[in-house]
mmCIF file with all atom_site columns, all heavy atoms in Angstrom:
data_model
loop_
_atom_site.group_PDB
_atom_site.id
_atom_site.type_symbol
_atom_site.label_atom_id
_atom_site.label_alt_id
_atom_site.label_comp_id
_atom_site.label_asym_id
_atom_site.label_entity_id
_atom_site.label_seq_id
_atom_site.pdbx_PDB_ins_code
_atom_site.Cartn_x
_atom_site.Cartn_y
_atom_site.Cartn_z
_atom_site.occupancy
_atom_site.B_iso_or_equiv
_atom_site.pdbx_formal_charge
_atom_site.auth_seq_id
_atom_site.auth_comp_id
_atom_site.auth_asym_id
_atom_site.auth_atom_id
_atom_site.pdbx_PDB_model_num
ATOM 1   N N   . GLY A 1 1  ? 88.229  86.847 115.539 1.00 0.00 ? 1  GLY A N   1
ATOM 2   C CA  . GLY A 1 1  ? 87.823  87.658 116.731 1.00 0.00 ? 1  GLY A CA  1
ATOM 3   C C   . GLY A 1 1  ? 87.245  88.981 116.299 1.00 0.00 ? 1  GLY A C   1
ATOM 4   O O   . GLY A 1 1  ? 87.370  89.360 115.071 1.00 0.00 ? 1  GLY A O   1
ATOM 5   N N   . PRO A 1 2  ? 86.683  89.724 117.224 1.00 0.00 ? 2  PRO A N   1
ATOM 6   C CA  . PRO A 1 2  ? 86.106  91.082 116.881 1.00 0.00 ? 2  PRO A CA  1
ATOM 7   C C   . PRO A 1 2  ? 87.229  92.088 116.396 1.00 0.00 ? 2  PRO A C   1
ATOM 8   O O   . PRO A 1 2  ? 88.412  91.743 116.762 1.00 0.00 ? 2  PRO A O   1
ATOM 9   C CB  . PRO A 1 2  ? 85.448  91.511 118.168 1.00 0.00 ? 2  PRO A CB  1
ATOM 10  C CG  . PRO A 1 2  ? 85.393  90.339 118.990 1.00 0.00 ? 2  PRO A CG  1
ATOM 11  C CD  . PRO A 1 2  ? 86.472  89.383 118.631 1.00 0.00 ? 2  PRO A CD  1
ATOM 12  N N   . GLU A 1 3  ? 86.925  93.135 115.916 1.00 0.00 ? 3  GLU A N   1
ATOM 13  C CA  . GLU A 1 3  ? 87.836  94.175 115.599 1.00 0.00 ? 3  GLU A CA  1
ATOM 14  C C   . GLU A 1 3  ? 88.539  94.703 116.869 1.00 0.00 ? 3  GLU A C   1
ATOM 15  O O   . GLU A 1 3  ? 87.816  94.755 117.897 1.00 0.00 ? 3  GLU A O   1
ATOM 16  C CB  . GLU A 1 3  ? 87.207  95.357 114.875 1.00 0.00 ? 3  GLU A CB  1
ATOM 17  C CG  . GLU A 1 3  ? 88.140  96.144 114.002 1.00 0.00 ? 3  GLU A CG  1
ATOM 18  C CD  . GLU A 1 3  ? 87.343  97.110 113.038 1.00 0.00 ? 3  GLU A CD  1
ATOM 19  O OE1 . GLU A 1 3  ? 86.160  96.965 112.848 1.00 0.00 ? 3  GLU A OE1 1
ATOM 20  O OE2 . GLU A 1 3  ? 88.026  98.057 112.553 1.00 0.00 ? 3  GLU A OE2 1
ATOM 21  N N   . GLY A 1 4  ? 89.827  95.030 116.802 1.00 0.00 ? 4  GLY A N   1
ATOM 22  C CA  . GLY A 1 4  ? 90.525  95.641 117.922 1.00 0.00 ? 4  GLY A CA  1
ATOM 23  C C   . GLY A 1 4  ? 90.900  94.540 119.032 1.00 0.00 ? 4  GLY A C   1
ATOM 24  O O   . GLY A 1 4  ? 91.068  94.903 120.209 1.00 0.00 ? 4  GLY A O   1
ATOM 25  N N   . THR A 1 5  ? 91.158  93.289 118.627 1.00 0.00 ? 5  THR A N   1
ATOM 26  C CA  . THR A 1 5  ? 91.510  92.374 119.639 1.00 0.00 ? 5  THR A CA  1
ATOM 27  C C   . THR A 1 5  ? 92.972  91.821 119.346 1.00 0.00 ? 5  THR A C   1
ATOM 28  O O   . THR A 1 5  ? 93.382  90.774 119.874 1.00 0.00 ? 5  THR A O   1
ATOM 29  C CB  . THR A 1 5  ? 90.538  91.073 119.607 1.00 0.00 ? 5  THR A CB  1
ATOM 30  O OG1 . THR A 1 5  ? 90.412  90.640 118.225 1.00 0.00 ? 5  THR A OG1 1
ATOM 31  C CG2 . THR A 1 5  ? 89.171  91.492 120.170 1.00 0.00 ? 5  THR A CG2 1
ATOM 32  N N   . GLY A 1 6  ? 93.686  92.431 118.428 1.00 0.00 ? 6  GLY A N   1
ATOM 33  C CA  . GLY A 1 6  ? 95.122  92.210 118.274 1.00 0.00 ? 6  GLY A CA  1
ATOM 34  C C   . GLY A 1 6  ? 95.519  91.342 117.144 1.00 0.00 ? 6  GLY A C   1
ATOM 35  O O   . GLY A 1 6  ? 96.614  90.829 117.099 1.00 0.00 ? 6  GLY A O   1
ATOM 36  N N   . LYS A 1 7  ? 94.521  90.973 116.269 1.00 0.00 ? 7  LYS A N   1
ATOM 37  C CA  . LYS A 1 7  ? 94.819  90.008 115.197 1.00 0.00 ? 7  LYS A CA  1
ATOM 38  C C   . LYS A 1 7  ? 95.884  90.584 114.228 1.00 0.00 ? 7  LYS A C   1
ATOM 39  O O   . LYS A 1 7  ? 96.839  89.929 113.978 1.00 0.00 ? 7  LYS A O   1
ATOM 40  C CB  . LYS A 1 7  ? 93.503  89.741 114.410 1.00 0.00 ? 7  LYS A CB  1
ATOM 41  C CG  . LYS A 1 7  ? 92.425  89.086 115.137 1.00 0.00 ? 7  LYS A CG  1
ATOM 42  C CD  . LYS A 1 7  ? 91.299  88.576 114.358 1.00 0.00 ? 7  LYS A CD  1
ATOM 43  C CE  . LYS A 1 7  ? 90.538  89.753 113.554 1.00 0.00 ? 7  LYS A CE  1
ATOM 44  N NZ  . LYS A 1 7  ? 89.962  90.742 114.454 1.00 0.00 ? 7  LYS A NZ  1
ATOM 45  N N   . THR A 1 8  ? 95.768  91.853 113.817 1.00 0.00 ? 8  THR A N   1
ATOM 46  C CA  . THR A 1 8  ? 96.670  92.422 112.881 1.00 0.00 ? 8  THR A CA  1
ATOM 47  C C   . THR A 1 8  ? 98.111  92.637 113.518 1.00 0.00 ? 8  THR A C   1
ATOM 48  O O   . THR A 1 8  ? 99.062  92.488 112.920 1.00 0.00 ? 8  THR A O   1
ATOM 49  C CB  . THR A 1 8  ? 96.123  93.675 112.220 1.00 0.00 ? 8  THR A CB  1
ATOM 50  O OG1 . THR A 1 8  ? 94.880  93.328 111.577 1.00 0.00 ? 8  THR A OG1 1
ATOM 51  C CG2 . THR A 1 8  ? 97.043  94.272 111.244 1.00 0.00 ? 8  THR A CG2 1
ATOM 52  N N   . GLU A 1 9  ? 98.044  93.026 114.837 1.00 0.00 ? 9  GLU A N   1
ATOM 53  C CA  . GLU A 1 9  ? 99.300  93.185 115.541 1.00 0.00 ? 9  GLU A CA  1
ATOM 54  C C   . GLU A 1 9  ? 99.981  91.876 115.600 1.00 0.00 ? 9  GLU A C   1
ATOM 55  O O   . GLU A 1 9  ? 101.250 91.776 115.451 1.00 0.00 ? 9  GLU A O   1
ATOM 56  C CB  . GLU A 1 9  ? 99.073  93.756 116.988 1.00 0.00 ? 9  GLU A CB  1
ATOM 57  C CG  . GLU A 1 9  ? 98.883  95.197 116.991 1.00 0.00 ? 9  GLU A CG  1
ATOM 58  C CD  . GLU A 1 9  ? 100.074 95.968 116.810 1.00 0.00 ? 9  GLU A CD  1
ATOM 59  O OE1 . GLU A 1 9  ? 101.255 95.491 116.994 1.00 0.00 ? 9  GLU A OE1 1
ATOM 60  O OE2 . GLU A 1 9  ? 100.021 97.227 116.387 1.00 0.00 ? 9  GLU A OE2 1
ATOM 61  N N   . MET A 1 10 ? 99.284  90.849 115.832 1.00 0.00 ? 10 MET A N   1
ATOM 62  C CA  . MET A 1 10 ? 99.977  89.498 115.905 1.00 0.00 ? 10 MET A CA  1
ATOM 63  C C   . MET A 1 10 ? 100.613 89.148 114.469 1.00 0.00 ? 10 MET A C   1
ATOM 64  O O   . MET A 1 10 ? 101.590 88.564 114.396 1.00 0.00 ? 10 MET A O   1
ATOM 65  C CB  . MET A 1 10 ? 98.963  88.308 116.271 1.00 0.00 ? 10 MET A CB  1
ATOM 66  C CG  . MET A 1 10 ? 99.574  87.014 116.459 1.00 0.00 ? 10 MET A CG  1
ATOM 67  S SD  . MET A 1 10 ? 100.797 87.008 117.882 1.00 0.00 ? 10 MET A SD  1
ATOM 68  C CE  . MET A 1 10 ? 99.728  87.061 119.308 1.00 0.00 ? 10 MET A CE  1
ATOM 69  N N   . LEU A 1 11 ? 99.903  89.565 113.439 1.00 0.00 ? 11 LEU A N   1
ATOM 70  C CA  . LEU A 1 11 ? 100.439 89.364 112.018 1.00 0.00 ? 11 LEU A CA  1
ATOM 71  C C   . LEU A 1 11 ? 101.679 90.143 111.940 1.00 0.00 ? 11 LEU A C   1
ATOM 72  O O   . LEU A 1 11 ? 102.692 89.595 111.274 1.00 0.00 ? 11 LEU A O   1
ATOM 73  C CB  . LEU A 1 11 ? 99.414  89.758 110.976 1.00 0.00 ? 11 LEU A CB  1
ATOM 74  C CG  . LEU A 1 11 ? 98.128  88.870 110.855 1.00 0.00 ? 11 LEU A CG  1
ATOM 75  C CD1 . LEU A 1 11 ? 97.278  89.445 109.788 1.00 0.00 ? 11 LEU A CD1 1
ATOM 76  C CD2 . LEU A 1 11 ? 98.458  87.429 110.556 1.00 0.00 ? 11 LEU A CD2 1
ATOM 77  N N   . TYR A 1 12 ? 101.766 91.388 112.319 1.00 0.00 ? 12 TYR A N   1
ATOM 78  C CA  . TYR A 1 12 ? 103.028 92.210 112.230 1.00 0.00 ? 12 TYR A CA  1
ATOM 79  C C   . TYR A 1 12 ? 104.097 91.464 112.945 1.00 0.00 ? 12 TYR A C   1
ATOM 80  O O   . TYR A 1 12 ? 105.264 91.293 112.562 1.00 0.00 ? 12 TYR A O   1
ATOM 81  C CB  . TYR A 1 12 ? 102.802 93.490 112.878 1.00 0.00 ? 12 TYR A CB  1
ATOM 82  C CG  . TYR A 1 12 ? 101.899 94.526 112.120 1.00 0.00 ? 12 TYR A CG  1
ATOM 83  C CD1 . TYR A 1 12 ? 101.189 95.441 112.776 1.00 0.00 ? 12 TYR A CD1 1
ATOM 84  C CD2 . TYR A 1 12 ? 101.836 94.435 110.668 1.00 0.00 ? 12 TYR A CD2 1
ATOM 85  C CE1 . TYR A 1 12 ? 100.348 96.252 112.112 1.00 0.00 ? 12 TYR A CE1 1
ATOM 86  C CE2 . TYR A 1 12 ? 100.963 95.283 110.058 1.00 0.00 ? 12 TYR A CE2 1
ATOM 87  C CZ  . TYR A 1 12 ? 100.154 96.171 110.716 1.00 0.00 ? 12 TYR A CZ  1
ATOM 88  O OH  . TYR A 1 12 ? 99.423  97.054 110.095 1.00 0.00 ? 12 TYR A OH  1
ATOM 89  N N   . HIS A 1 13 ? 103.720 90.830 114.129 1.00 0.00 ? 13 HIS A N   1
ATOM 90  C CA  . HIS A 1 13 ? 104.701 90.099 114.996 1.00 0.00 ? 13 HIS A CA  1
ATOM 91  C C   . HIS A 1 13 ? 105.348 88.880 114.162 1.00 0.00 ? 13 HIS A C   1
ATOM 92  O O   . HIS A 1 13 ? 106.490 88.700 114.116 1.00 0.00 ? 13 HIS A O   1
ATOM 93  C CB  . HIS A 1 13 ? 104.023 89.554 116.211 1.00 0.00 ? 13 HIS A CB  1
ATOM 94  C CG  . HIS A 1 13 ? 104.750 88.696 117.055 1.00 0.00 ? 13 HIS A CG  1
ATOM 95  N ND1 . HIS A 1 13 ? 105.958 89.100 117.825 1.00 0.00 ? 13 HIS A ND1 1
ATOM 96  C CD2 . HIS A 1 13 ? 104.682 87.328 117.290 1.00 0.00 ? 13 HIS A CD2 1
ATOM 97  C CE1 . HIS A 1 13 ? 106.473 88.033 118.515 1.00 0.00 ? 13 HIS A CE1 1
ATOM 98  N NE2 . HIS A 1 13 ? 105.594 87.051 118.182 1.00 0.00 ? 13 HIS A NE2 1
ATOM 99  N N   . LEU A 1 14 ? 104.390 88.151 113.534 1.00 0.00 ? 14 LEU A N   1
ATOM 100 C CA  . LEU A 1 14 ? 104.818 87.029 112.690 1.00 0.00 ? 14 LEU A CA  1
ATOM 101 C C   . LEU A 1 14 ? 105.685 87.386 111.505 1.00 0.00 ? 14 LEU A C   1
ATOM 102 O O   . LEU A 1 14 ? 106.661 86.788 111.137 1.00 0.00 ? 14 LEU A O   1
ATOM 103 C CB  . LEU A 1 14 ? 103.558 86.253 112.297 1.00 0.00 ? 14 LEU A CB  1
ATOM 104 C CG  . LEU A 1 14 ? 102.812 85.593 113.460 1.00 0.00 ? 14 LEU A CG  1
ATOM 105 C CD1 . LEU A 1 14 ? 101.596 84.789 112.887 1.00 0.00 ? 14 LEU A CD1 1
ATOM 106 C CD2 . LEU A 1 14 ? 103.589 84.694 114.376 1.00 0.00 ? 14 LEU A CD2 1
ATOM 107 N N   . ILE A 1 15 ? 105.191 88.466 110.856 1.00 0.00 ? 15 ILE A N   1
ATOM 108 C CA  . ILE A 1 15 ? 106.002 88.994 109.743 1.00 0.00 ? 15 ILE A CA  1
ATOM 109 C C   . ILE A 1 15 ? 107.501 89.370 110.204 1.00 0.00 ? 15 ILE A C   1
ATOM 110 O O   . ILE A 1 15 ? 108.294 89.008 109.485 1.00 0.00 ? 15 ILE A O   1
ATOM 111 C CB  . ILE A 1 15 ? 105.258 90.210 109.046 1.00 0.00 ? 15 ILE A CB  1
ATOM 112 C CG1 . ILE A 1 15 ? 103.973 89.865 108.453 1.00 0.00 ? 15 ILE A CG1 1
ATOM 113 C CG2 . ILE A 1 15 ? 106.293 90.900 108.049 1.00 0.00 ? 15 ILE A CG2 1
ATOM 114 C CD1 . ILE A 1 15 ? 103.132 91.041 108.039 1.00 0.00 ? 15 ILE A CD1 1
ATOM 115 N N   . ALA A 1 16 ? 107.453 90.031 111.264 1.00 0.00 ? 16 ALA A N   1
ATOM 116 C CA  . ALA A 1 16 ? 108.861 90.519 111.779 1.00 0.00 ? 16 ALA A CA  1
ATOM 117 C C   . ALA A 1 16 ? 109.690 89.210 112.004 1.00 0.00 ? 16 ALA A C   1
ATOM 118 O O   . ALA A 1 16 ? 110.892 89.300 111.693 1.00 0.00 ? 16 ALA A O   1
ATOM 119 C CB  . ALA A 1 16 ? 108.727 91.370 112.986 1.00 0.00 ? 16 ALA A CB  1
ATOM 120 N N   . ARG A 1 17 ? 109.145 88.272 112.695 1.00 0.00 ? 17 ARG A N   1
ATOM 121 C CA  . ARG A 1 17 ? 109.858 87.078 112.884 1.00 0.00 ? 17 ARG A CA  1
ATOM 122 C C   . ARG A 1 17 ? 110.408 86.413 111.610 1.00 0.00 ? 17 ARG A C   1
ATOM 123 O O   . ARG A 1 17 ? 111.419 85.820 111.595 1.00 0.00 ? 17 ARG A O   1
ATOM 124 C CB  . ARG A 1 17 ? 108.949 85.989 113.698 1.00 0.00 ? 17 ARG A CB  1
ATOM 125 C CG  . ARG A 1 17 ? 108.473 86.340 115.082 1.00 0.00 ? 17 ARG A CG  1
ATOM 126 C CD  . ARG A 1 17 ? 109.477 85.845 116.139 1.00 0.00 ? 17 ARG A CD  1
ATOM 127 N NE  . ARG A 1 17 ? 109.855 84.454 116.062 1.00 0.00 ? 17 ARG A NE  1
ATOM 128 C CZ  . ARG A 1 17 ? 111.025 83.950 116.067 1.00 0.00 ? 17 ARG A CZ  1
ATOM 129 N NH1 . ARG A 1 17 ? 112.063 84.698 116.059 1.00 0.00 ? 17 ARG A NH1 1
ATOM 130 N NH2 . ARG A 1 17 ? 111.249 82.591 116.029 1.00 0.00 ? 17 ARG A NH2 1
ATOM 131 N N   . CYS A 1 18 ? 109.512 86.442 110.622 1.00 0.00 ? 18 CYS A N   1
ATOM 132 C CA  . CYS A 1 18 ? 110.009 85.842 109.325 1.00 0.00 ? 18 CYS A CA  1
ATOM 133 C C   . CYS A 1 18 ? 111.034 86.639 108.579 1.00 0.00 ? 18 CYS A C   1
ATOM 134 O O   . CYS A 1 18 ? 112.036 86.012 108.102 1.00 0.00 ? 18 CYS A O   1
ATOM 135 C CB  . CYS A 1 18 ? 108.721 85.763 108.447 1.00 0.00 ? 18 CYS A CB  1
ATOM 136 S SG  . CYS A 1 18 ? 107.620 84.407 108.877 1.00 0.00 ? 18 CYS A SG  1
ATOM 137 N N   . ILE A 1 19 ? 110.815 87.981 108.450 1.00 0.00 ? 19 ILE A N   1
ATOM 138 C CA  . ILE A 1 19 ? 111.817 88.755 107.653 1.00 0.00 ? 19 ILE A CA  1
ATOM 139 C C   . ILE A 1 19 ? 113.084 89.178 108.263 1.00 0.00 ? 19 ILE A C   1
ATOM 140 O O   . ILE A 1 19 ? 113.967 89.583 107.659 1.00 0.00 ? 19 ILE A O   1
ATOM 141 C CB  . ILE A 1 19 ? 111.071 89.907 106.970 1.00 0.00 ? 19 ILE A CB  1
ATOM 142 C CG1 . ILE A 1 19 ? 110.560 90.968 108.097 1.00 0.00 ? 19 ILE A CG1 1
ATOM 143 C CG2 . ILE A 1 19 ? 109.794 89.418 106.239 1.00 0.00 ? 19 ILE A CG2 1
ATOM 144 C CD1 . ILE A 1 19 ? 109.860 92.132 107.454 1.00 0.00 ? 19 ILE A CD1 1
ATOM 145 N N   . ILE A 1 20 ? 113.107 89.108 109.657 1.00 0.00 ? 20 ILE A N   1
ATOM 146 C CA  . ILE A 1 20 ? 114.489 89.423 110.212 1.00 0.00 ? 20 ILE A CA  1
ATOM 147 C C   . ILE A 1 20 ? 115.473 88.295 109.972 1.00 0.00 ? 20 ILE A C   1
ATOM 148 O O   . ILE A 1 20 ? 115.020 87.109 109.911 1.00 0.00 ? 20 ILE A O   1
ATOM 149 C CB  . ILE A 1 20 ? 114.222 89.557 111.839 1.00 0.00 ? 20 ILE A CB  1
ATOM 150 C CG1 . ILE A 1 20 ? 113.506 90.896 112.085 1.00 0.00 ? 20 ILE A CG1 1
ATOM 151 C CG2 . ILE A 1 20 ? 115.483 89.552 112.625 1.00 0.00 ? 20 ILE A CG2 1
ATOM 152 C CD1 . ILE A 1 20 ? 113.069 91.115 113.431 1.00 0.00 ? 20 ILE A CD1 1
ATOM 153 N N   . PRO A 1 21 ? 116.698 88.682 109.744 1.00 0.00 ? 21 PRO A N   1
ATOM 154 C CA  . PRO A 1 21 ? 117.692 87.633 109.249 1.00 0.00 ? 21 PRO A CA  1
ATOM 155 C C   . PRO A 1 21 ? 118.004 86.677 110.500 1.00 0.00 ? 21 PRO A C   1
ATOM 156 O O   . PRO A 1 21 ? 117.756 86.980 111.703 1.00 0.00 ? 21 PRO A O   1
ATOM 157 C CB  . PRO A 1 21 ? 118.990 88.551 108.936 1.00 0.00 ? 21 PRO A CB  1
ATOM 158 C CG  . PRO A 1 21 ? 118.765 89.797 109.566 1.00 0.00 ? 21 PRO A CG  1
ATOM 159 C CD  . PRO A 1 21 ? 117.307 90.046 109.637 1.00 0.00 ? 21 PRO A CD  1
ATOM 160 N N   . LYS A 1 22 ? 118.452 85.469 110.143 1.00 0.00 ? 22 LYS A N   1
ATOM 161 C CA  . LYS A 1 22 ? 118.894 84.481 111.117 1.00 0.00 ? 22 LYS A CA  1
ATOM 162 C C   . LYS A 1 22 ? 119.866 85.046 112.047 1.00 0.00 ? 22 LYS A C   1
ATOM 163 O O   . LYS A 1 22 ? 119.763 84.687 113.347 1.00 0.00 ? 22 LYS A O   1
ATOM 164 C CB  . LYS A 1 22 ? 119.399 83.213 110.394 1.00 0.00 ? 22 LYS A CB  1
ATOM 165 C CG  . LYS A 1 22 ? 118.278 82.457 109.739 1.00 0.00 ? 22 LYS A CG  1
ATOM 166 C CD  . LYS A 1 22 ? 118.852 81.306 108.966 1.00 0.00 ? 22 LYS A CD  1
ATOM 167 C CE  . LYS A 1 22 ? 117.723 80.523 108.289 1.00 0.00 ? 22 LYS A CE  1
ATOM 168 N NZ  . LYS A 1 22 ? 118.180 79.493 107.367 1.00 0.00 ? 22 LYS A NZ  1
ATOM 169 N N   . SER A 1 23 ? 120.751 85.889 111.652 1.00 0.00 ? 23 SER A N   1
ATOM 170 C CA  . SER A 1 23 ? 121.710 86.403 112.622 1.00 0.00 ? 23 SER A CA  1
ATOM 171 C C   . SER A 1 23 ? 121.137 87.335 113.615 1.00 0.00 ? 23 SER A C   1
ATOM 172 O O   . SER A 1 23 ? 121.738 87.518 114.694 1.00 0.00 ? 23 SER A O   1
ATOM 173 C CB  . SER A 1 23 ? 122.779 87.266 111.813 1.00 0.00 ? 23 SER A CB  1
ATOM 174 O OG  . SER A 1 23 ? 122.103 88.285 111.140 1.00 0.00 ? 23 SER A OG  1
ATOM 175 N N   . GLY A 1 24 ? 119.942 87.786 113.349 1.00 0.00 ? 24 GLY A N   1
ATOM 176 C CA  . GLY A 1 24 ? 119.217 88.676 114.288 1.00 0.00 ? 24 GLY A CA  1
ATOM 177 C C   . GLY A 1 24 ? 118.133 87.855 115.005 1.00 0.00 ? 24 GLY A C   1
ATOM 178 O O   . GLY A 1 24 ? 117.303 88.484 115.754 1.00 0.00 ? 24 GLY A O   1
ATOM 179 N N   . GLY A 1 25 ? 118.090 86.560 114.888 1.00 0.00 ? 25 GLY A N   1
ATOM 180 C CA  . GLY A 1 25 ? 117.149 85.713 115.627 1.00 0.00 ? 25 GLY A CA  1
ATOM 181 C C   . GLY A 1 25 ? 115.842 85.457 114.926 1.00 0.00 ? 25 GLY A C   1
ATOM 182 O O   . GLY A 1 25 ? 114.922 84.882 115.343 1.00 0.00 ? 25 GLY A O   1
ATOM 183 N N   . GLY A 1 26 ? 115.740 85.959 113.618 1.00 0.00 ? 26 GLY A N   1
ATOM 184 C CA  . GLY A 1 26 ? 114.545 85.713 112.852 1.00 0.00 ? 26 GLY A CA  1
ATOM 185 C C   . GLY A 1 26 ? 114.724 84.415 111.985 1.00 0.00 ? 26 GLY A C   1
ATOM 186 O O   . GLY A 1 26 ? 115.622 83.580 112.106 1.00 0.00 ? 26 GLY A O   1
ATOM 187 N N   . LEU A 1 27 ? 113.735 84.240 111.031 1.00 0.00 ? 27 LEU A N   1
ATOM 188 C CA  . LEU A 1 27 ? 113.671 83.025 110.246 1.00 0.00 ? 27 LEU A CA  1
ATOM 189 C C   . LEU A 1 27 ? 114.343 83.253 108.899 1.00 0.00 ? 27 LEU A C   1
ATOM 190 O O   . LEU A 1 27 ? 114.649 82.347 108.125 1.00 0.00 ? 27 LEU A O   1
ATOM 191 C CB  . LEU A 1 27 ? 112.318 82.438 110.127 1.00 0.00 ? 27 LEU A CB  1
ATOM 192 C CG  . LEU A 1 27 ? 111.543 82.030 111.374 1.00 0.00 ? 27 LEU A CG  1
ATOM 193 C CD1 . LEU A 1 27 ? 110.168 81.574 111.027 1.00 0.00 ? 27 LEU A CD1 1
ATOM 194 C CD2 . LEU A 1 27 ? 112.245 81.097 112.181 1.00 0.00 ? 27 LEU A CD2 1
ATOM 195 N N   . GLU A 1 28 ? 114.394 84.533 108.460 1.00 0.00 ? 28 GLU A N   1
ATOM 196 C CA  . GLU A 1 28 ? 114.939 84.980 107.171 1.00 0.00 ? 28 GLU A CA  1
ATOM 197 C C   . GLU A 1 28 ? 114.209 84.250 105.997 1.00 0.00 ? 28 GLU A C   1
ATOM 198 O O   . GLU A 1 28 ? 114.848 83.644 105.099 1.00 0.00 ? 28 GLU A O   1
ATOM 199 C CB  . GLU A 1 28 ? 116.413 84.718 107.125 1.00 0.00 ? 28 GLU A CB  1
ATOM 200 C CG  . GLU A 1 28 ? 117.178 85.592 106.105 1.00 0.00 ? 28 GLU A CG  1
ATOM 201 C CD  . GLU A 1 28 ? 118.698 85.388 106.114 1.00 0.00 ? 28 GLU A CD  1
ATOM 202 O OE1 . GLU A 1 28 ? 119.290 85.295 107.286 1.00 0.00 ? 28 GLU A OE1 1
ATOM 203 O OE2 . GLU A 1 28 ? 119.353 85.409 105.116 1.00 0.00 ? 28 GLU A OE2 1
ATOM 204 N N   . VAL A 1 29 ? 112.888 84.355 106.079 1.00 0.00 ? 29 VAL A N   1
ATOM 205 C CA  . VAL A 1 29 ? 112.051 83.793 104.936 1.00 0.00 ? 29 VAL A CA  1
ATOM 206 C C   . VAL A 1 29 ? 111.160 84.949 104.382 1.00 0.00 ? 29 VAL A C   1
ATOM 207 O O   . VAL A 1 29 ? 111.003 85.941 104.991 1.00 0.00 ? 29 VAL A O   1
ATOM 208 C CB  . VAL A 1 29 ? 111.181 82.632 105.380 1.00 0.00 ? 29 VAL A CB  1
ATOM 209 C CG1 . VAL A 1 29 ? 112.058 81.486 105.809 1.00 0.00 ? 29 VAL A CG1 1
ATOM 210 C CG2 . VAL A 1 29 ? 110.200 82.967 106.507 1.00 0.00 ? 29 VAL A CG2 1
ATOM 211 N N   . GLU A 1 30 ? 110.653 84.768 103.218 1.00 0.00 ? 30 GLU A N   1
ATOM 212 C CA  . GLU A 1 30 ? 109.796 85.674 102.524 1.00 0.00 ? 30 GLU A CA  1
ATOM 213 C C   . GLU A 1 30 ? 108.349 85.452 102.894 1.00 0.00 ? 30 GLU A C   1
ATOM 214 O O   . GLU A 1 30 ? 107.926 84.369 103.103 1.00 0.00 ? 30 GLU A O   1
ATOM 215 C CB  . GLU A 1 30 ? 110.016 85.676 101.046 1.00 0.00 ? 30 GLU A CB  1
ATOM 216 C CG  . GLU A 1 30 ? 111.448 86.096 100.625 1.00 0.00 ? 30 GLU A CG  1
ATOM 217 C CD  . GLU A 1 30 ? 111.725 85.976 99.199  1.00 0.00 ? 30 GLU A CD  1
ATOM 218 O OE1 . GLU A 1 30 ? 110.969 85.192 98.477  1.00 0.00 ? 30 GLU A OE1 1
ATOM 219 O OE2 . GLU A 1 30 ? 112.651 86.763 98.648  1.00 0.00 ? 30 GLU A OE2 1
ATOM 220 N N   . VAL A 1 31 ? 107.567 86.552 102.870 1.00 0.00 ? 31 VAL A N   1
ATOM 221 C CA  . VAL A 1 31 ? 106.182 86.622 103.278 1.00 0.00 ? 31 VAL A CA  1
ATOM 222 C C   . VAL A 1 31 ? 105.429 87.376 102.156 1.00 0.00 ? 31 VAL A C   1
ATOM 223 O O   . VAL A 1 31 ? 105.801 88.362 101.729 1.00 0.00 ? 31 VAL A O   1
ATOM 224 C CB  . VAL A 1 31 ? 105.919 87.330 104.623 1.00 0.00 ? 31 VAL A CB  1
ATOM 225 C CG1 . VAL A 1 31 ? 104.480 87.364 104.922 1.00 0.00 ? 31 VAL A CG1 1
ATOM 226 C CG2 . VAL A 1 31 ? 106.764 86.689 105.714 1.00 0.00 ? 31 VAL A CG2 1
ATOM 227 N N   . MET A 1 32 ? 104.199 86.830 101.787 1.00 0.00 ? 32 MET A N   1
ATOM 228 C CA  . MET A 1 32 ? 103.247 87.501 100.856 1.00 0.00 ? 32 MET A CA  1
ATOM 229 C C   . MET A 1 32 ? 102.051 87.884 101.744 1.00 0.00 ? 32 MET A C   1
ATOM 230 O O   . MET A 1 32 ? 101.501 87.035 102.403 1.00 0.00 ? 32 MET A O   1
ATOM 231 C CB  . MET A 1 32 ? 102.839 86.482 99.780  1.00 0.00 ? 32 MET A CB  1
ATOM 232 C CG  . MET A 1 32 ? 101.758 86.919 99.054  1.00 0.00 ? 32 MET A CG  1
ATOM 233 S SD  . MET A 1 32 ? 102.048 88.349 97.973  1.00 0.00 ? 32 MET A SD  1
ATOM 234 C CE  . MET A 1 32 ? 103.262 87.674 96.759  1.00 0.00 ? 32 MET A CE  1
#
């Protein structure tokens, strides 16, 4: 998509889902 359409924000969202612990509702996995 064009710049400014939320792609990087969506990546932050996915990173947060991954790195938050399972006890907090995340997946508790590592991201590169």
Side-chain angles (χ1 to χ4, degrees):
E3 205 167 343
T5 49
K7 299 188 297 296
T8 301
E9 278 289 338
M10 187 63 76
L11 292 179
Y12 293 145
H13 172 69
L14 298 179
I15 293 168
R17 290 272 306 127
C18 285
I19 65 178
I20 287 173
K22 286 178 179 169
S23 58
L27 300 179
E28 205 173 318
V29 297
E30 293 176 337
V31 179
M32 168 67 69

